[in-house]
Amino acid sequence: MTPDTDRPTTDITEATEAHTGPNNLDGPGTLDRPGTSRRLDIIEYTDPLCPWAWGSEPVFRRLRAALSGDDRVRWRRAYCILFDHDDDPAPDPAAETAWYARYVEDISAHTHAPRALRLSRVAASSWPASLVAKAAEAQGAEVADRVLRRLRESVFVLGEPADTAESALAAVSGVPGLDAERLAADAASAEVLTRVRADHAEARRPVAEVLSVHGGDSPHPGAAKETPDGQLRYALPTLLVRTASGHRVVPGWRPYGEYVAAVTELSRAPLPAPPPLSPATALTRYRTLTDPERTHLTGAAPWPPPGAVRRDTANGPLWLHPDEAAAHPATASSPPARSR
């Protein structure tokens, strides 16, 4: 099925007339109202299988590193369901897959993110991966980050989207610290389903600023998208930054500086640049890194670190920590090529 992010947005004014209205995030009774004037809420509207979200990982990892240790910050991911259950099936799945592979190729040309050598199919649904990603949050932020990363890599490295419960759980097998039995039970629970449904609904109440967006030179400026049922939702990814006194939104594909500006403006304090990590430290911390990510996180340090395992894709390598390579599906089918 074709995801609703790819639908044309020329009728967005007409769709807005039927919309119930954008979120008034600074009014009473809104979601995620900060508990104190010091708190900084960041909501990342995303989907595990979104190519623009995958391409934004370098700047988001860098931003999260810059904000780490700041006890004012609460970062939450809302899973927006790019591929929905009720989307119309493609009349010609092979043709749709070929079209979508070209679409991902065009995006990766802008983001420089890896893409699979061969895409087996277009994802049938984002629900299974989103349920697994949401369920992983109960096992801590580090586990949740690594689970989400594996789900992204299922489609953009392996070319096999994690679009069933079985494939989503298989994709995250061997994640360090993960209780796989608990994850499977939680992902199938009514509680987690309710939370993802809430994310789905929240994403379809976008703030007014994203109804019309001018993104300068961005190939994906992030104006709200019309869904097949006539609603509007956030383009993916979108970052919403909030305090008790206001909010700023940074939609679509954006440079790192725009996120820094939004945080700085609301917090009224400069955001320090995260110190560059050594290559070995970066790979140990993140387990897998793309070339854009290691540039953002390690600067110009010589690369690769000793023991790094390289997995080639159609658009640059994925670098794996040797322990990650031992359990990662990307290296399960064939011996990985170690760096020289």
Side-chain angles (χ1 to χ4, degrees):
M1 66 184 69
T2 303
D4 59 54
T5 191
D6 304 316
R7 291 170 61 87
T9 56
T10 52
D11 294 330
I12 198 151
T13 303
E14 179 181 348
T16 304
E17 293 174 356
H19 187 50
T20 57
N23 269 348
N24 175 20
L25 290 176
D26 305 318
T30 57
L31 292 172
D32 291 320
R33 168 166 286 282
T36 71
S37 60
R38 295 183 64 248
R39 180 162 154 179
L40 186 73
D41 285 308
I42 299 177
I43 304 100
E44 176 189 348
Y45 294 97
T46 192
D47 185 282
L49 309 181
C50 172
W52 285 110
W54 166 240
S56 297
E57 284 280 272
V59 294
F60 286 178
R61 280 185 161 183
R62 184 179 178 186
L63 182 63
R64 288 165 71 90
L67 293 167
S68 65
D70 189 336
D71 61 7
R72 299 173 305 159
V73 177
R74 301 291 184 272
W75 188 301
R76 176 173 67 84
R77 292 186 177 106
Y79 293 105
C80 304
I81 310 300
L82 180 60
F83 300 91
D84 215 338
H85 288 318
D86 55 1
D87 292 347
D88 293 333
D92 185 342
E96 186 193 40
T97 299
W99 173 86
Y100 191 68
R102 291 192 297 271
Y103 174 74
V104 172
E105 181 178 0
D106 288 344
I107 292 173
S108 68
H110 292 292
T111 65
H112 306 292
R115 60 182 176 85
L117 292 166
R118 177 185 174 275
L119 181 65
S120 68
R121 65 189 181 280
V122 179
S125 173
S126 291
W127 281 96
S130 298
L131 290 167
V132 167
K134 184 66 72 175
E137 293 174 0
Q139 299 191 39
E142 186 172 292
V143 167
D145 285 350
R146 289 176 174 174
V147 163
L148 176 58
R149 177 65 173 216
R150 285 279 197 92
L151 295 167
R152 296 197 196 282
E153 290 168 348
S154 74
V155 59
F156 301 113
V157 176
L158 303 177
E160 296 286 343
D163 58 357
T164 66
E166 295 76 15
S167 62
L169 292 171
V172 305
S173 176
V175 165
L178 176 68
D179 183 333
E181 290 187 5
R182 179 185 177 188
L183 181 70
D186 287 349
S189 70
E191 178 184 355
V192 168
L193 177 59
T194 297
R195 293 176 62 200
V196 176
R197 282 176 172 168
D199 286 353
H200 179 276
E202 179 185 342
R204 283 148 182 80
R205 297 190 299 271
V207 296
E209 292 93 325
V210 301
L211 301 185
S212 178
V213 173
H214 302 286
D217 295 330
S218 173
H220 178 51
K225 301 291 183 180
E226 183 182 357
T227 63
D229 60 0
Q231 297 186 72
L232 297 177
R233 67 149 176 83
Y234 285 109
L236 306 180
T238 290
L239 223 62
L240 184 67
V241 184
R242 298 187 54 211
T243 66
S245 59
H247 70 269
R248 300 291 182 272
V249 63
V250 187
W253 166 253
R254 300 287 173 151
Y256 179 71
E258 293 198 30
Y259 299 102
V260 171
V263 171
T264 299
E265 187 174 355
L266 280 181
S267 64
R268 296 183 174 88
L271 182 64
L277 300 175
S278 73
T281 298
L283 199 56
T284 298
R285 178 175 301 178
Y286 292 102
R287 306 287 291 188
T288 68
L289 289 168
T290 66
D291 272 349
E293 288 171 333
R294 57 105 169 171
T295 300
H296 269 279
L297 296 167
T298 69
W303 188 269
V309 176
R310 175 178 177 141
R311 166 67 190 254
D312 287 314
T313 76
N315 194 47
L318 180 73
W319 298 95
L320 299 93
H321 187 277
D323 292 344
E324 179 72 7
H328 198 290
T331 58
S333 58
S334 60
R338 285 192 174 269
S339 61
R340 296 182 174 87

